């Protein structure tokens, strides 16, 4: 891609950016939310034409910018905001638009299921291809998206935030699979805000900032500090900079006793105090998100009790949870977190209509002030508050979801993968925001597959496996005195937490 530019009216999304990715290379594409990564990938995928510049695949210049032309040239992409059809099965999604057919010309679902099972086996994961996508958890949907993209021959594979809902074991299996594709000569463009993954998997990296090319270099030329400095324009140590001062822990705000869902969780006991941040860690399928959905009334509890401020509450639906002062930032932001074609202001206003309205009419001035304040507080990059959320990058859309619930001022905030798809600078800001919320007397439950995020944000970490909470670990217990105060302290704590998760599951699975 040579001197590629893209303008949306007065907004310059890309300004003369060049990107070269070699066959048999894993090339990281990095930058803050709004840096231009999504735009350049949409051009490569044929979703948008460039305002200027050229694109060549294997020496052949793209003459048309359509998804069909890009696919024919050998470009495949696993999307951050998944392209799966929820009402179809996993196998039907994998072979969508290129269905396997019988000799008589009918669609052969049995053959598709068998082939899909082989594709998952090659990645080292077990997902039932006959299940509907709507009935599988987010992590399995993410793996299905990747299998769909890699199920046909391609020259260039784009992986956009492929691990945001995966546990460390699933990430290891994915990396093994991606390296196998590299050995076959596939050019892999790897987009992620997880710096540890970049140093593990990538050969070279290109960094964009404010729509401009900043640097392209081998990974050996970067340190974590220099990479973050290129990305955000200033020096930072990422999560290591987060201060986890111990606040004053007050009374129990949220309590669950013997809480069970239809499948998961199973007999969960937990307590969440005022002024406390509690993390939930667990491997894919451990029941973390199911626990959040039960606490917020999205899924029904079949047994057990929930107490808020010591009093039993019946949470039969999200409205009951909201009335009890519980808010959820959901894992699946695209389907559950925002209305894509509504404005940033309208999305932030949605859970706050009661206090923004008078006699059934929204006070537009108050709504505008709330939106502007939220945009400034979370540094949301949007053309204006009237911009539709669909026009934002994935990370900025996630910030809108967080902003709308922070504006509702709940006493108990449950965050499910709160920094998925958010750049490293903003991740640290969200962690600092979580700590600030605890200092003001909120109770915060954080569910994350990113262990360093949990370690930076939380006072305690609950370890789940197979729907049960098996460990309750004080954050300080994960520190290694030998590394205290060093740059390796967070890494050693992460290793200890990962070991605890593996022990809870019953040992490491190679």
């Amino acid at each position: 891609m040579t001197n590629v530019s893209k303008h949306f009216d007065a907004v310059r999304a890309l300004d003369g950016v060049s990107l070269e990715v070699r066959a048999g290379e894993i090339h990281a594409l990095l930058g803050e939310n709004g840096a231009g990564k999504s735009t350049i990938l949409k051009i490569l995928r044929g979703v948008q034409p460039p305002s200027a510049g050229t694109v060549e695949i294997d020496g052949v210049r793209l003459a048309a910018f359509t998804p069909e032309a890009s696919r024919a040239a050998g470009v495949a992409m696993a999307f951050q905001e998944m392209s799966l059809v929820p009402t179809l099965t996993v196998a039907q999604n994998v072979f969508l638009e290129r269905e396997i057919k019988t000799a008589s010309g009918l669609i052969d679902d049995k053959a598709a299921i068998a082939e899909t099972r082989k594709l998952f086996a090659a990645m080292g994961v077990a997902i039932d291809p006959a299940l509907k996508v709507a009935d599988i958890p987010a992590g399995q949907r993410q793996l299905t998206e990747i299998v769909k993209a890699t199920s046909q021959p391609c020259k260039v594979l784009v992986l956009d935030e492929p691990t945001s809902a995966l546990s460390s074991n699933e990430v290891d299996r994915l990396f093994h699979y991606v390296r196998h594709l590299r050995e076959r000569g596939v050019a892999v463009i790897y987009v992620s805000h997880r710096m540890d993954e970049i140093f593990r998997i990538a050969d070279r990296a290109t960094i964009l900032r404010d729509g401009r090319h900043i640097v392209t270099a081998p990974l050996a030329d970067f340190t974590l500090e220099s990479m973050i400095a290129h990305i955000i324009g200033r020096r930072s140590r990422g999560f290591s900079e987060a201060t986890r001062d111990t606040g004053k822990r007050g009374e129990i705000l949220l309590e669950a006793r013997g809480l069970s869902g239809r499948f998961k969780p199973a007999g969960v006991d937990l307590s969440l105090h005022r002024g406390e941040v509690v993390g939930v860690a667990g491997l894919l399928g451990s029941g973390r998100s199911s626990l959040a959905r039960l606490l917020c009334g999205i899924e029904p509890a079949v047994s057990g009790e929930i107490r808020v401020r010591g009093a039993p509450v019946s949470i039969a639906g999200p409205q009951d949870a909201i009335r009890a002062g519980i808010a959820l930032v959901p894992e699946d932001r695209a389907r559950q977190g925002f209305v894509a074609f509504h404005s940033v202001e309208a999305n932030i206003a949605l859970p706050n209509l009661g206090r923004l309205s008078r006699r059934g009419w929204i006070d537009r001035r108050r709504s505008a002030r709330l939106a502007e304040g939220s945009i400034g507080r979370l540094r949301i990059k949007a053309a204006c508050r009237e911009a539709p959320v669909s026009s934002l990058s994935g990370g900025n859309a996630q910030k809108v979801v967080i902003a709308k619930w922070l504006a509702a001022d709940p006493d108990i905030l449950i965050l499910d993968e709160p920094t998925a798809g958010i750049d490293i600078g903003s991740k640290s800001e969200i962690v600092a925001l979580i700590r600030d919320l605890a200092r003001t007397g909120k109770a915060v439950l954080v569910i994350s597959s990113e262990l360093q995020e949990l370690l930076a944000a939380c006072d305690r970490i609950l370890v789940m496996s197979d729907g049960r909470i098996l460990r309750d670990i004080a954050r300080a217990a994960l520190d290694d005195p030998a590394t205290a105060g060093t740059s390796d302290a967070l890494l050693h704590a992460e290793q200890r937490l990962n070991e605890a998760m593996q022990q809870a599951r019953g040992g490491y699975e190679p």
Side-chain angles (χ1 to χ4, degrees):
M1 306 182 75
T2 307
N3 295 324
V4 173
S5 296
K6 182 65 179 178
H7 302 269
F8 299 95
D9 296 325
V11 178
R12 181 180 57 199
L14 291 173
D15 186 7
V17 172
S18 295
L19 174 67
E20 178 192 84
V21 186
R22 302 164 184 163
E25 174 187 47
I26 300 173
H27 194 111
L29 180 62
L30 308 174
E32 287 189 287
N33 298 123
K37 305 186 305 297
S38 296
T39 303
I40 200 169
L41 294 178
K42 286 177 181 177
I43 291 170
L44 176 62
R45 189 68 182 85
V47 175
Q48 295 173 345
S51 302
T54 60
V55 179
E56 292 184 1
I57 308 295
D58 201 16
V60 179
R61 184 169 172 173
L62 279 183
F65 288 92
T66 65
E68 294 77 14
S70 179
R71 192 182 305 115
V75 178
M77 182 169 179
F79 296 88
Q80 179 183 353
E81 303 297 351
M82 300 175 199
S83 65
L84 306 177
V85 181
T87 54
L88 297 181
T89 68
V90 169
Q92 287 168 340
N93 270 279
V94 168
F95 288 97
L96 191 63
E97 293 188 324
R98 53 189 188 89
E99 288 79 5
I100 301 174
K101 296 182 179 179
T102 64
S104 60
L106 299 176
I107 293 175
D108 192 340
D109 280 327
K110 288 184 179 180
I113 289 171
E115 288 300 315
T116 302
R117 190 169 280 114
K118 291 178 185 177
L119 293 168
F120 281 122
M123 192 183 286
V125 296
I127 296 173
D128 187 349
L131 290 177
K132 286 186 178 180
V133 164
D135 296 332
I136 62 175
Q140 293 190 9
R141 291 199 299 272
Q142 196 156 37
L143 292 170
T144 300
E145 178 78 20
I146 295 166
V147 163
K148 177 183 175 181
T150 59
S151 64
Q152 54 187 317
C154 63
K155 297 176 181 178
V156 180
L157 172 65
V158 181
L159 297 176
D160 189 5
E161 295 289 348
T163 65
S164 60
L166 303 185
S167 67
S168 57
N169 269 5
E170 283 74 31
V171 171
D172 290 342
R173 294 186 177 104
L174 174 63
F175 281 5
H176 178 76
Y177 186 63
V178 171
R179 292 186 183 106
H180 173 67
L181 294 173
R182 176 179 61 185
E183 292 169 1
R184 287 168 41 189
V186 176
V188 180
I189 300 175
Y190 192 93
V191 182
S192 179
H193 292 303
R194 295 183 172 183
M195 298 296 100
D196 58 325
E197 291 182 2
I198 298 302
F199 282 97
R200 284 179 58 193
I201 193 67
D203 302 307
R204 288 194 301 154
T206 289
I207 296 174
L208 307 182
R209 189 169 70 241
D210 296 327
R212 294 184 175 91
H213 176 272
I214 300 300
V215 65
T216 296
L219 259 291
D221 291 356
F222 293 101
T223 63
L224 175 60
E225 290 77 11
S226 69
M227 181 173 283
I228 295 174
H230 283 306
I231 290 171
I232 67 177
R234 57 181 172 82
R235 298 199 68 81
S236 170
R237 294 185 294 117
F239 284 130
S240 297
E241 282 189 343
T243 56
R244 203 185 63 259
D245 54 314
T246 302
K248 183 179 179 181
R249 194 171 85 158
E251 76 276 19
I252 295 175
L253 286 185
L254 177 67
E255 189 175 14
R257 289 291 173 260
L259 190 63
S260 298
R262 183 182 176 191
F263 299 109
K264 295 176 184 177
V268 160
D269 295 339
L270 68 82
S271 59
L272 191 58
H273 292 252
R274 184 182 296 278
E276 180 181 44
V277 182
V278 175
V280 183
L283 301 176
L284 189 65
S286 62
R288 299 169 303 169
S289 294
S290 296
L291 172 61
R293 291 194 291 271
L294 253 66
L295 291 172
C296 294
I298 295 172
E299 292 181 0
V302 297
S303 63
E305 182 181 59
I306 298 174
R307 290 176 171 263
V308 174
R309 301 175 195 85
V313 294
S314 175
I315 298 180
Q319 287 293 341
D320 295 331
I322 293 169
R323 279 191 288 268
I326 305 172
L328 169 68
V329 174
E331 176 186 23
D332 190 345
R333 62 175 175 247
R335 293 199 302 168
Q336 301 169 348
F338 55 74
V339 183
F341 294 101
H342 284 197
S343 68
V344 172
E345 178 182 339
N347 273 277
I348 292 173
L350 274 174
N352 301 287
L353 292 177
R355 62 191 180 95
L356 293 176
S357 302
R358 291 181 180 177
R359 298 177 181 175
W361 296 93
I362 296 174
D363 185 329
R364 294 296 179 185
R365 290 184 181 179
R366 295 179 67 188
S367 176
R369 285 197 300 269
L370 182 65
E372 293 289 357
S374 298
I375 289 169
R377 184 182 186 185
L378 272 73
R379 294 178 59 209
I380 299 170
K381 290 185 178 180
C384 59
R385 68 175 187 274
E386 290 89 4
V389 174
S390 59
S391 69
L392 274 55
S393 66
N396 281 297
Q398 175 76 337
K399 288 184 179 181
V400 171
V401 182
I402 296 173
K404 77 176 191 181
W405 286 114
L406 291 183
D409 197 26
D411 286 333
I412 302 158
L413 190 61
I414 300 174
L415 306 172
D416 195 354
E417 302 290 355
T419 68
I422 292 181
D423 60 76
I424 184 64
S426 297
K427 282 177 187 285
S428 299
E429 291 174 5
I430 296 297
V431 168
L433 176 63
I434 290 170
R435 297 303 311 173
D436 286 342
L437 291 169
R439 276 191 290 271
T440 62
K442 308 292 185 187
V444 187
L445 188 70
V446 180
I447 299 167
S448 179
S449 54
E450 192 163 355
L451 301 188
Q452 289 198 10
E453 176 182 318
L454 293 176
L455 293 164
C458 299
D459 302 302
R460 289 188 291 131
I461 298 175
L462 310 175
V463 178
M464 288 192 72
S465 180
D466 197 27
R468 301 180 181 276
I469 294 176
L470 300 181
R471 297 281 300 275
D472 185 340
I473 309 172
R475 168 62 182 86
L478 295 166
D479 285 326
D480 183 351
T483 61
T486 71
S487 58
D488 292 332
L490 197 59
L491 179 61
H492 281 271
E494 181 182 13
Q495 291 172 344
R496 288 187 168 191
L497 179 55
N498 193 43
E499 288 171 3
M501 290 165 58
Q502 299 294 346
Q503 291 167 2
R505 194 177 188 179
Y508 177 74
E509 292 184 5

